[in-house]
Amino acid sequence: MDVKTLCLGVLTLGDASGYEIRKKFEEGPFAAFYDASYGSIYPALAKLLADGYVSVTEYTQSGKPAKKVYQLTEVGRAAFIAELRTPPAPDRIRSEHMVYLFFADYLEPRQLTAVFDAYHAHFESMATFLEGLGCDDLPLGRQFVRGFGRTFYRSLADYMDAHRDDLMGAAAKRGAETEAAE
Amino acid sequence: MDVKTLCLGVLTLGDASGYEIRKKFEEGPFAAFYDASYGSIYPALAKLLADGYVSVTEYTQSGKPAKKVYQLTEVGRAAFIAELRTPPAPDRIRSEHMVYLFFADYLEPRQLTAVFDAYHAHFESMATFLEGLGCDDLPLGRQFVRGFGRTFYRSLADYMDAHRDDLMGAAAKRGAETEAAE
DNA sequence: GGGGCCATGTAACCCGTTACATGATTGA
DNA sequence: TCAATCATGTAACGGGTTACATGGCCCC
């Protein structure tokens, strides 16, 4: 599923500019399971416009740059739904953090701690953020996905909490030795 | 972190051929958080060899194709450890399945069921697989990562179990109506 | 004054995927 | 007989990232 299709999907949730679409990938509902940068979104939107999948309205704002808000056309909506008829591609996960933790033995204790704590903080903040969102009258799919995200971040934050010392204990000892020798 | 570095990492676990490295990404310890295809592994290995990060031994086997087993050199090991000194890049997740589930309303009930069940089966099988592996005398990092994977797959498989009906109930009703109308 | 947010876009580059090419052996 | 596993590699193609380019406003 390319960025074009993803943009179509985002636009089913309401009209948006390229900048706003980006934010949905960074902080919004898609943040947990997808991402896209400006360099892919703007060209995608241009292509979508040329193909008639979206239309655009330009707003000039005072004190802010002009804004191009895109709307899904009926053709675009149909194309998105058609895309959903094809089977989903396998998930793709690339966690460099996991690689680092896997090779914890090769890291200096301080760096291990830094990597671990930053990673844990990320899971924890995502968990509390998602837990703060109310379970309002969202469509079922979105409710399910929200709960999925909550479960994901909460379980893993808790796992990391529970096992921090297992990893760190030994590293701290190694660290203490190293520092004593310094 | 590119495939070259990942190959170096895999080779710290023991000598391996390109084919075997691929398997570690597909089924082995890295399956949960990384992937790489032949088209990237073989060229990476060639480059690594040219740069002196690995050396190679060729084994001719009877009844099987010849095999090139790569070993990490000291330079290669040092390069890998040096790479680990740099801060890890953010995780990248691309879950098309989540997109499909997010837009559950746009899916036909049968397809929603198919996507959901296949996804659930995947989590369930990964969970039982990881639960089956003993917590032997692995290095701490690898134990931590294994537990992390277990927690990941188990919590999400359970979440999906617990919420299947929330998603499917409504879809089944829609389906029943559709079928009645057919 | 400086950093961050709003806002849009372009272009080069790189990395990796997909598909192709080859071929013997083993088990269903 | 057909599919799968073992095993290595190449080439084209595509997609997306990174970096660049621009600029005003607001808050500290």
Side-chain angles (χ1 to χ4, degrees):
Chain A
M1 183 172 286
D2 56 25
V3 175
K4 285 210 303 285
T5 310
L6 255 352
C7 285
L8 252 21
V10 172
L11 289 174
T12 64
L13 309 175
D15 302 345
S17 65
Y19 189 81
E20 288 163 351
I21 290 174
R22 170 77 211 290
K23 279 205 303 184
K24 303 220 182 188
F25 285 114
E26 211 189 33
E27 314 157 9
F30 291 93
F33 53 91
Y34 245 97
D35 53 32
S37 59
Y38 291 128
S40 58
I41 290 171
Y42 284 117
L45 251 13
K47 187 79 195 330
L48 252 15
L49 185 63
D51 293 349
Y53 292 137
V54 299
S55 59
V56 71
T57 314
E58 208 163 340
Y59 295 97
T60 46
Q61 310 172 106
S62 62
K64 282 184 189 174
K67 194 182 196 175
K68 285 184 176 180
V69 174
Y70 293 86
Q71 303 93 32
L72 206 55
T73 63
E74 270 317 303
V75 179
R77 180 177 300 268
F80 179 64
I81 292 176
E83 181 69 30
L84 291 180
R85 298 267 177 270
T86 67
D91 289 2
R92 188 162 294 173
I93 302 177
R94 306 220 141 165
S95 176
E96 229 164 85
H97 285 84
M98 280 293 120
V99 175
Y100 277 57
L101 296 177
F102 186 95
F103 292 110
D105 315 312
Y106 293 136
L107 298 180
E108 290 163 8
R110 278 174 221 169
Q111 200 208 349
L112 175 58
T113 309
V115 169
F116 185 95
D117 289 342
Y119 201 42
H120 177 254
H122 172 243
F123 280 102
E124 188 62 48
S125 77
M126 288 298 284
T128 44
F129 171 70
L130 289 173
E131 281 154 11
L133 298 175
C135 267
D136 22 44
D137 50 356
L138 248 39
L140 287 169
R142 298 178 59 181
Q143 267 180 50
F144 177 85
V145 168
R146 188 171 281 186
F148 192 96
R150 266 205 267 266
T151 303
F152 174 86
Y153 287 113
R154 175 49 58 207
S155 333
L156 294 176
D158 288 352
Y159 174 81
M160 290 188 79
D161 251 339
H163 293 86
R164 186 175 189 277
D165 291 341
D166 299 346
L167 243 191
M168 298 309 183
K173 261 178 233 154
R174 282 201 344 248
E177 283 156 28
T178 311
E179 274 160 46
E182 268 168 19
Chain B
M1 184 172 284
D2 55 25
V3 175
K4 286 212 300 286
T5 310
L6 256 351
C7 286
L8 252 21
V10 171
L11 290 174
T12 65
L13 308 177
D15 302 344
S17 64
Y19 189 82
E20 289 162 350
I21 290 175
R22 168 77 210 291
K23 279 205 301 185
K24 303 220 182 188
F25 285 114
E26 212 189 34
E27 314 156 10
F30 289 94
F33 53 93
Y34 246 97
D35 54 32
S37 58
Y38 292 129
S40 57
I41 291 170
Y42 285 117
L45 252 13
K47 186 79 196 331
L48 253 13
L49 185 64
D51 292 349
Y53 292 137
V54 300
S55 59
V56 69
T57 314
E58 207 163 340
Y59 296 97
T60 45
Q61 310 172 106
S62 62
K64 283 183 190 175
K67 195 181 194 175
K68 285 183 176 181
V69 174
Y70 293 87
Q71 303 95 31
L72 208 53
T73 63
E74 269 318 303
V75 180
R77 181 177 297 269
F80 179 64
I81 292 174
E83 181 70 28
L84 290 180
R85 297 267 177 271
T86 67
D91 290 2
R92 190 161 294 173
I93 303 176
R94 305 221 143 164
S95 175
E96 227 164 88
H97 285 85
M98 279 292 121
V99 175
Y100 277 58
L101 265 15
F102 186 94
F103 291 109
D105 315 312
Y106 293 136
L107 299 179
E108 289 163 10
R110 278 174 221 170
Q111 200 208 349
L112 176 58
T113 309
V115 169
F116 185 96
D117 289 342
Y119 202 40
H120 177 255
H122 172 243
F123 280 102
E124 188 62 47
S125 79
M126 288 299 284
T128 44
F129 171 70
L130 289 174
E131 280 154 11
L133 299 175
C135 266
D136 22 43
D137 51 355
L138 247 37
L140 287 169
R142 297 179 60 181
Q143 266 179 52
F144 177 84
V145 167
R146 191 170 279 186
F148 193 94
R150 266 206 268 265
T151 303
F152 173 86
Y153 287 112
R154 175 49 60 208
S155 332
L156 293 177
D158 288 351
Y159 173 81
M160 290 188 79
D161 251 339
H163 294 85
R164 187 176 190 277
D165 292 340
D166 298 347
L167 243 193
M168 298 308 185
K173 262 178 230 154
R174 281 202 344 250
E177 282 157 29
T178 310
E179 276 161 46
E182 267 168 20

